[in-house]
């Protein structure tokens, strides 16, 4: 190859390199045609600022439902929810066995949280179930429908043959058959009363029968041994819950050592708090551990703490002992406020105000429902009771109704 040919080859090679370099330089700018897919997506800054919303837990959903219900109730309606009364307290009649205009008018004027039926309200199964169904049908908010069905002498249904439910011996005798017998008895009691429309049993008795001279407890208690009472109370609560019925342990802090009946007047216990911690409080602690829904505060004066105020009106017993020391978070209900242990010393308004300020959530059967309701309304207006206290109690009530299927969210 001569010099001329070599020169030509070198020129061709340099032109080839120039073309390659030119294409690579032009590719990013001139020769590349952008497409829609190649364009970076624009980011919506407003979407970046919105955090992901976590779904509400079942507990949060329940609380939300309760708050929505509370918001729809006036103060007066909230106050009425605090009461469980007899049909007669709404109608003004001697004995109510069926729905009527007077009962409907009373229920509309005082939309109470619950009704309790006694023997005089019972004729037979069909009548009882019909009365309960009619009351629930006409209630603004579905009601607690309660009965005292302990077995033995205090059994409104069991002692009415036309009701065709099982009659049980006194609990002091039944407990001798063992824990399984008590569990089965209260499961059956719960099923039988639930079939008629009841959703709450004012049972079991958690009192210790420690005083043989006690005129009101006796064989209604499971035993004079607090450990036995505690074991049986636990089984009774479990049995009622198995049947889907609300259980109410009574009569805190313990009626078993008194020598008088709070139905008839003041009942006093002279036992020290230390003695009660080792005896009377044990069955209530067992009930709480078993998940009892309510505890009924009795009208028992604990002499070491108060001279005259009964437990149902005593902040120390209901808050310091029951709420804090025993860690009870459920509903505190008073014993009947028309008992002489209350009416001999307090008006209906005074008793209602004192009970709520003490820590009670539900007020059972005041002597005068209108006076109690109006007294609480005035107390809120005058700052003697805060609206937050009322709402906290109603919150617990609505919660229990929702969790037991009485109300639907």
């Amino acid at each position: 190859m001569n010099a001329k040919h070599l020169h030509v080859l070198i020129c061709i090679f340099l032109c080839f390199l120039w073309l390659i370099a030119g294409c690579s330089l032009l590719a990013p700018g001139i020769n590349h045609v952008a497409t829609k897919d190649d364009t970076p997506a624009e980011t919506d800054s407003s979407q970046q600022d919105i955090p992901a919303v976590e779904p509400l837990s079942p507990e949060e959903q329940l609380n939300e439902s309760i708050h929505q219900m509370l918001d729809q109730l006036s103060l007066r309606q909230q106050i009425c929810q605090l009461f469980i009364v007899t049909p007669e307290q709404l109608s003004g009649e001697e004995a109510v066995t069926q729905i009527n205009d007077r009962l409907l008018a009373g229920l509309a004027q005082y939309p109470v949280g619950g009704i309790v039926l006694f023997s005089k309200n019972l004729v037979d199964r069909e009548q009882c179930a019909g009365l309960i169904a009619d009351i629930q049908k006409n209630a603004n908010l579905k009601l607690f429908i309660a009965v005292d069905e302990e077995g033995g002498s205090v059994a409104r249904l069991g002692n009415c043959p036309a009701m065709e439910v099982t009659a049980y011996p006194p609990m002091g005798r039944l407990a001798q058959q063992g824990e399984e017998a008590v569990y089965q008895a209260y499961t059956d009691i719960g099923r039988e009363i639930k079939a008629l429309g009841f959703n709450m049993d004012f049972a079991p008795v958690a009192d210790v029968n420690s005083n043989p001279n006690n005129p009101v407890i006796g064989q209604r208690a499971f035993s004079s041994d607090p450990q036995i009472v505690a074991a049986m109370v636990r089984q009774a609560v479990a049995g009622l819950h198995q049947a889907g019925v609300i259980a109410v342990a009574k009569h805190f802090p313990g009626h078993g050592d008194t020598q008088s009946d709070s139905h008839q007047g003041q009942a006093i216990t002279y036992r020290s708090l230390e003695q009660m911690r080792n005896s009377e409080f044990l069955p209530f602690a067992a009930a709480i551990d078993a998940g009892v829904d309510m505890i009924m505060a009795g009208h028992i004066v604990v002499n070491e703490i108060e001279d005259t105020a009964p437990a149902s009106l005593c902040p120390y017993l209901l808050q310091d002992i029951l709420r804090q020391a025993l860690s009870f978070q459920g509903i505190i209900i008073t014993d009947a406020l028309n008992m002489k242990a209350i009416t001999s010393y307090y008006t209906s308004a005074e008793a209602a105000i004192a009970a709520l300020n003490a820590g009670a959530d539900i007020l059972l059967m005041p002597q005068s429902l209108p006076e109690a309701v109006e007294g609480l309304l005035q107390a809120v207006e005058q700052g003697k009771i805060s609206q937050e206290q009322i709402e906290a109690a109603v919150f617990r009530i609505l919660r229990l109704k929702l969790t037991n299927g009485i109300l639907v969210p």
Side-chain angles (χ1 to χ4, degrees), residues 6-28:
L6 179 61
H7 177 76
V8 171
L9 288 175
I10 290 172
C11 288
I12 292 171
F13 180 73
L14 290 174
C15 289
F16 180 74
L17 291 178
W18 179 83
L19 286 172
I20 292 175
C23 290
S24 64
L25 289 171
L26 291 172

Side-chain angles (χ1 to χ4, degrees), residues 70-196:
L70 266 173
D71 290 342
Q72 295 173 5
L73 297 176
S74 67
L75 175 61
R76 191 176 188 282
Q77 289 173 323
Q78 289 181 19
I79 286 174
C80 286
Q81 280 293 303
L82 305 178
F83 291 91
I84 292 180
V85 300
T86 66
E88 292 76 20
Q89 289 181 286
L90 293 171
S91 71
E93 300 168 277
E94 287 296 320
V96 174
T97 57
Q98 61 184 2
I99 202 83
N100 57 40
D101 289 342
R102 295 183 68 176
L103 178 56
L104 290 175
L107 196 56
Q109 185 176 5
Y110 297 99
V112 293
I115 296 288
V116 55
L117 299 186
F118 287 87
S119 299
K120 64 182 177 180
N121 304 119
L122 309 175
V123 177
D124 55 35
R125 292 183 63 84
E126 183 179 1
Q127 169 272 331
C128 176
L131 174 61
I132 292 173
D134 287 340
I135 290 173
Q136 291 285 39
K137 180 180 177 181
N138 288 281
N140 182 37
L141 282 177
K142 293 295 186 289
L143 303 165
F144 293 129
I145 306 291
V147 67
D148 287 289
E149 199 67 21
E150 303 170 8
S153 62
V154 181
R156 314 305 180 193
L157 305 172
N159 292 326
C160 178
M163 297 309 300
E164 301 176 10
V165 302
T166 307
Y168 288 93
M171 291 300 104
R173 282 171 46 196
L174 184 65
Q176 295 175 9
Q177 300 177 31
E179 294 183 33
E180 181 58 34
V182 171
Y183 172 79
Q184 192 59 56
Y186 272 94
T187 301
D188 292 341
I189 286 172
R191 287 172 177 164
E192 289 181 322
I193 68 174
K194 189 174 180 66
L196 295 167

Side-chain angles (χ1 to χ4, degrees), residues 56-73 141 394-403 407-409:
L56 294 178
S57 68
E59 181 72 13
E60 290 170 332
Q61 291 176 6
L62 176 62
N63 290 340
E64 181 67 23
S65 296
I66 298 171
H67 284 300
Q68 289 175 1
M69 289 183 178
L70 266 173
D71 290 342
Q72 295 173 5
L73 297 176
L141 282 177
V394 178
F395 186 95
R396 290 191 182 97
I397 291 166
L398 295 178
R399 180 185 179 84
L400 186 59
K401 288 184 176 183
L402 283 166
T403 56
L407 292 178
V408 178

Side-chain angles (χ1 to χ4, degrees), residues 326-338:
L326 296 179
S327 301
F328 180 58
Q329 300 302 314
I331 289 176
I332 298 174
I333 179 173
T334 69
D335 205 344
L337 293 171
N338 61 2

Side-chain angles (χ1 to χ4, degrees), residues 252-267:
F252 182 83
H255 208 326
D257 191 59
T258 63
Q259 295 191 38
S260 54
D261 182 353
S262 54
H263 291 86
Q264 305 304 322
Q266 190 179 65

Side-chain angles (χ1 to χ4, degrees), residues 41 44 82 143 181 217 220 228 261 267 283 355 369 377 380 388:
D44 187 344
L82 305 178
L143 303 165
I217 300 302
R220 291 171 65 191
I228 293 176
D261 182 353
L369 177 61
L377 277 168
V380 174
E388 288 74 21

